[in-house]
Structures are given as C-alpha cells and as structure tokens.
Amino acid sequence: MFETISNALENVFSGFRKKGKLTEKNIKEGMRDIRMALLEADVSYKVARSFVKSCTEKAVGQEVIKSIQPTQQIVKIVHDELINLMGEADTTLPAKDGSRPGVIMLLGLQGSGKTTTAGKLAHLARRKGRKPMLVAADVQRPAGVKQLQLLGEQIDVPVFTEDFTPPRICKMAVKFAQKEGCDLVILDTAGRLHIDEALMGELEEIANKVKPDQRLLVANAMTGQDAIQSADEFNRKLGIDGVILTMLDGDARGGAALSIRAVTGKPIKFVGVGEKIDNLEEFHPDRLAGRILGMGDVVSLVEKAQETVDKEKAIEFQKKIQKATFTLDDMLEQFQQLKRMGPLSDLLGKIPGIGNMIGDEEIDESEFARVEAIIQSMTIEERLHPEIIDGRRRLRISSGSGTDVQEVNALLKDFKQMKKMIKKGAKGKGGGFPAGLPLR
Ligand SMILES: Nc1nc2c(ncn2[C@@H]2O[C@H](COP(=O)(O)OP(=O)(O)OP(=O)(O)O)[C@@H](O)[C@H]2O)c(=O)[nH]1
Ligand SMILES: [Mg+2]
C-alpha cells in the first residue's frame, strides 16, 4: 500500500538531508519535488498545489529547533499536512433512533466492492456490539443476492431478500429489522458501469423512501483519479455522507485516499484491505500519514522537542512575570505561541467550561494578526519602553502595520492592563494569569 508516494517522499527527504541546512531556496525546491510525488501518486493537481503551498508556508516560517535536524522538522510538517488533508477521523455508525434501526445505504459503481463490503461492515458492526441485518437490494443480478446470503451465513447475520423493486425491498427490510430487534440495517444496492440516469433514479428512490442515516459510497481505490471523480459526481448528484474505499491493499499510489476528502468534503470512513471478511478497517488519517511516511518515530521526536521548547519558554516567561519585566515583545511571543497551537476556537473549545461558553460565536483570528503587525512595527526601544510611544510614534506604527491609530491605542491600553494584572498575580501565588489572551 502506498509504495509510490512513500518512496517518492523518502527521496525528497533524503535530498533535504544531503543539503544539511534548510534555506528558503532549497525548501522551495524540495516542495516542488513533493508536488511531483503527489502527482505521481495520482493526487489531483489542485489538491497537490494547495498541499505544497501550506507546507511551504509552514516550513519557511517555522522556528529552528536546535535539538533536531531540519529535515525532521519538514517530515513533521508534511505529516501534519497529510492529516489535515484527509481530515478528522469519522468512523461512526448510525445509532438506533427510537425503535428505528440505524440505516446505512451502500452505493457505487459496478464491481467497486459493495456486496463484499456490506458483509464486512456487518461483521465489524457486530464486533462493536451491534445487531446488524443485511438487505439484498440488488435485484439486477440473482448471483448478487446469493453472494450476500453466503456472506450472511458465514458471519451469522440475517439477510433480507424479497422479490420486489429495490425501494420496496428496502422499506420492508427496515420494518422487518425493527420487529426483529436489529439496530443496524445495511442496504446493498445494485451497481452500474457508469453513473447514469437509471442508476441515479433508482438510488434516489430508495433514499427517498427509506431515508437512510448514512449514504456511503463504495469506491475502488485502485482506480485513482476515476474514484475521486465518481465520488465527486455521486456527491453532487445524490449527496453522500462518506466513502468506503476498497482494494487499498492493491493500491500502490494512494491518490484516492489522499484526495477524496479534499475534493468532496466527505470523510473516508472505512477502508477495505483484502478479500476476507475481516479485511475492513476504520480509517484513521493520522495512522495512514504515519504509514505513508514510515517515520512515526521522527514525528514524535519533533513533537517532544517542540514541547520542550515551549516549556523552556514558559519557564522563562514565569520568571519574567515574577520580576514583572513583561514587555510588548513577550506579549507578541505569547500570541505567536497561541497561534502555533492551532485555531484559537479549537483550543478554547477544549478547555472545560469554556467550550460551552463560547458556543458558536466566531473568534476573530484576524485580531491576532493585527496585534502582531502592530507590535512588529515598533522599534526595539518602543517595545521595551512603551511609555515613550507618543502621538507621532503611534501614527507611524499604525501606518506601518496597516491599522488605525485607535487600534494602536487599544493595544497599548491592553498591554498596560495585562502588565498590571501580571504584577498582581506575581505578588500573589506567582501568577496564574493566562497571558496572551486578548483582554477586550
Ligand atoms: N483485494 C481486495 N478485494 C476486494 C476488496 N473489496 C472487494 N474485493 C473484491 O472485489 C470483487 C468485487 O466485489 P463485490 O463486492 O462483488 O462488488 P460489488 O460492488 O458488489 O459489485 P456489483 O454488485 O457487481 O456492482 C470481489 O472479488 C471482492 O472479493 C478489498 O478491499 N480488497
Ligand atoms: Mg454487489
């Protein structure tokens, strides 16, 4: 799995290692190679371009950590961006709603692996303590019904079959499952060679009649760009909730796994990694990124090093608080540290109690950018002794940072207030003040 992309990235990294020092120029060259590696892996052009753009921004802007090699820092950046690209893991199965079982509708092109996946999914659900029922809604091929029945027997899961139209079969099946006390229904629908009117019509009719909780597209990873395109088309025409990517065991390139989320906005929920009934895995982007890079140890090394750097800074900061020598530079540093920790809304959301408080309110991240710009437009002297910042200086700082004088005034006021609070804190138990948060 993923040999092409793994090898290509490994070549890029060894190129970096040979160069030793990282410069903006060789970072850009390396990133060009990463883009080539992605294209070779059948990642779409647009996705590859934006991937490389955000890696480059992070690599050029990042601080050098002395205890690790620059290449290792790049590996970490690529690793994190791969995870970003594939999005958060989402492996939820629909729960029972009242007495109605959760309903999953599988759909996809012919031979993509729907029937096999239906069996695998029922098996996986059962291992999670669910009571699944399989439904043969593919009446195009009698062999398809038989195939599902055999799978059901193998794992001892009931299979619902009837000689009606697929929408009616599905509707009856859900009722029957409810009566039988099943809590999950998996619909195996018919495939077509292409996405055509007839297929869409039938799928839509089933969806309208049954209102499945999840419409999952089953797509063959080995078809690369075609899988991405058909996922996009199914999503636009019918609407899907997620993707199950099959035949990952035979997929050397990995383009579909890497780009489906970015192209369709829908998560890959499960992946098929073989023909056996237990060859279905939950999809975890972080594990996949680790597997592609084959460098899990490097990633944790960099994480640890970064933690130490942040810890050292925190201690230094604590000392400053105690001596009350907090400057505008420290304020800037605090803002930058906060920014590195990810979007502020995510961060605050994780603090118990605060998550509910901020609710859906947007946190204005651009405020941070403005604060940074203002402080960066000050001279060193001004940052250390803000009391010298008179009207003329304020004007210069505001035009240098592209802000209003009022904003500069507000920042200086905030800083004064922050310093006052820090002093108070330092006199008390040594300052538990969460420095860096905007005070307005
Ligand atoms: N290696 C491998 N083979 C798979 C995987 N998933 C499915 N297959 C194989 O792919 C073939 C087609 O699978 P089916 O489940 O019949 O596909 P389908 O989408 O139901 O096909 P139609 O009903 O004809 O549309 C079978 O031989 C499966 O064993 C997988 O993850 N890995
Ligand atoms: Mg089938």
Side-chain angles (χ1 to χ4, degrees):
M1 276 187 264
F2 304 113
E3 295 85 354
T4 312
I5 178 98
S6 274
N7 294 341
L9 287 177
E10 177 46 36
N11 280 340
V12 176
F13 295 135
S14 72
F16 271 125
R17 268 192 289 275
K18 278 194 205 109
K19 285 179 187 131
K21 223 177 122 218
L22 286 187
T23 63
E24 191 162 336
K25 185 163 167 278
N26 63 32
I27 286 177
K28 288 222 162 106
E29 280 166 10
M31 290 298 163
R32 241 197 332 262
D33 294 342
I34 289 182
R35 196 175 72 178
M36 291 306 294
L38 292 172
L39 293 177
E40 210 179 311
D42 218 8
V43 168
S44 67
Y45 181 77
K46 243 168 94 182
V47 172
R49 198 179 51 185
S50 83
F51 181 90
V52 161
K53 189 164 166 262
S54 47
C55 282
T56 311
E57 276 164 13
K58 289 204 174 125
V60 172
Q62 82 174 341
E63 251 179 285
V64 175
I65 301 175
K66 286 189 218 86
S67 58
I68 48 175
Q69 294 160 6
T71 322
Q72 293 175 322
Q73 267 180 282
I74 300 276
V75 173
K76 171 77 166 70
I77 289 173
V78 173
H79 173 265
D80 292 352
E81 281 305 309
L82 282 175
I83 297 175
N84 257 344
L85 183 65
M86 294 182 278
E88 300 255 309
D90 175 1
T91 60
T92 50
L93 295 172
K96 203 166 153 173
D97 183 6
S99 59
R100 183 186 129 115
V103 179
I104 292 179
M105 173 176 172
L106 297 182
L107 51 111
L109 293 178
Q110 206 167 75
S112 56
K114 292 175 297 298
T115 305
T116 319
T117 302
K120 290 174 176 174
L121 196 57
H123 185 57
L124 184 138
R126 248 246 315 266
R127 274 183 300 171
K128 287 177 168 292
R130 303 292 298 264
K131 267 192 84 181
M133 175 177 282
L134 288 162
V135 181
D138 173 8
V139 291
Q140 307 264 326
R141 290 189 311 120
V145 177
K146 188 85 203 134
Q147 187 190 355
L148 195 67
Q149 279 172 326
L150 285 175
L151 282 165
E153 266 170 41
Q154 192 186 336
I155 52 175
D156 200 20
V157 163
V159 179
F160 185 90
T161 62
E162 271 297 341
D163 205 6
F164 290 122
T165 61
R168 217 172 138 200
I169 295 173
C170 294
K171 182 104 188 166
M172 287 169 76
V174 174
K175 276 214 180 104
F176 183 68
Q178 192 165 337
K179 217 171 72 202
E180 291 292 298
C182 294
D183 61 9
L184 183 68
V185 172
I186 300 169
L187 311 174
D188 175 31
T189 63
R192 295 279 201 291
L193 272 177
H194 305 285
I195 300 179
D196 56 23
E197 299 278 316
L199 173 66
M200 284 302 166
E202 179 175 311
L203 294 175
E204 220 158 312
E205 210 186 323
I206 296 176
N208 285 340
K209 237 187 165 112
V210 183
K211 307 245 173 328
D213 301 289
Q214 291 182 5
R215 303 172 188 193
L216 302 184
L217 176 75
V218 179
N220 178 345
M222 281 162 72
T223 60
Q225 284 286 326
D226 287 344
I228 301 165
Q229 256 167 34
S230 67
D232 193 28
E233 206 173 332
F234 268 111
N235 186 42
R236 275 187 288 113
K237 293 207 165 126
L238 194 74
I240 57 173
D241 300 298
V243 178
I244 300 182
L245 209 54
T246 58
M247 331 273 175
L248 216 62
D249 48 315
D251 177 25
R253 296 190 296 174
L258 291 173
S259 356
I260 279 189
R261 176 77 173 245
V263 173
T264 63
K266 305 295 170 183
I268 296 174
K269 295 181 70 102
F270 301 96
V271 288
V273 294
E275 293 195 79
K276 294 209 199 76
I277 196 82
D278 58 357
N279 287 148
L280 186 75
E281 294 177 0
E282 293 183 336
F283 185 68
H284 290 285
D286 49 345
R287 290 182 211 160
L288 181 60
R291 204 188 272 179
I292 288 175
L293 293 173
M295 294 182 188
D297 42 342
V298 171
V299 172
S300 55
L301 180 77
V302 175
E303 271 165 9
K304 277 218 192 77
Q306 265 162 356
E307 259 170 39
T308 348
V309 169
D310 288 346
K311 224 183 262 161
E312 280 164 13
K313 283 202 179 127
I315 293 170
E316 200 182 302
F317 181 65
Q318 188 77 17
K319 278 189 195 148
K320 285 198 166 154
I321 286 177
Q322 268 148 12
K323 282 199 258 155
T325 55
F326 183 72
T327 69
L328 276 159
D329 263 332
D330 297 321
M331 186 171 173
L332 180 64
E333 170 79 25
Q334 287 293 306
F335 272 98
Q336 284 165 341
Q337 280 226 24
L338 271 176
K339 236 177 49 184
R340 273 205 300 278
M341 290 161 88
L344 192 67
S345 43
D346 280 8
L347 200 69
L348 289 177
K350 284 186 193 122
I351 304 174
I354 293 197
N356 307 337
M357 245 160 62
I358 55 172
D360 292 335
E361 230 174 281
E362 278 286 308
I363 290 182
D364 187 6
E365 305 268 341
S366 65
E367 171 112 358
F368 282 81
R370 282 201 297 276
V371 168
E372 264 183 62
I374 293 173
I375 300 180
Q376 271 158 351
S377 300
M378 296 177 184
T379 63
I380 296 174
E381 184 67 13
E382 286 165 351
R383 291 187 207 183
L384 292 175
H385 306 288
E387 59 281 2
I388 65 167
I389 306 180
D390 55 14
R392 216 163 36 94
R393 287 180 192 254
R394 282 171 203 230
L395 209 61
R396 193 208 75 238
I397 293 167
S398 73
S399 73
S401 56
T403 57
D404 298 338
V405 177
Q406 283 88 335
E407 286 179 272
V408 178
N409 289 343
L411 174 94
L412 289 169
K413 205 169 136 218
D414 278 356
F415 172 72
K416 239 171 141 176
Q417 206 175 336
M418 211 159 153
K419 200 164 166 162
K420 219 158 65 198
M421 282 180 77
I422 287 172
K423 258 190 195 156
K424 253 194 222 155
K427 274 186 203 139
K429 289 195 191 91
F433 179 70
L437 295 174
L439 294 170
R440 264 170 300 145

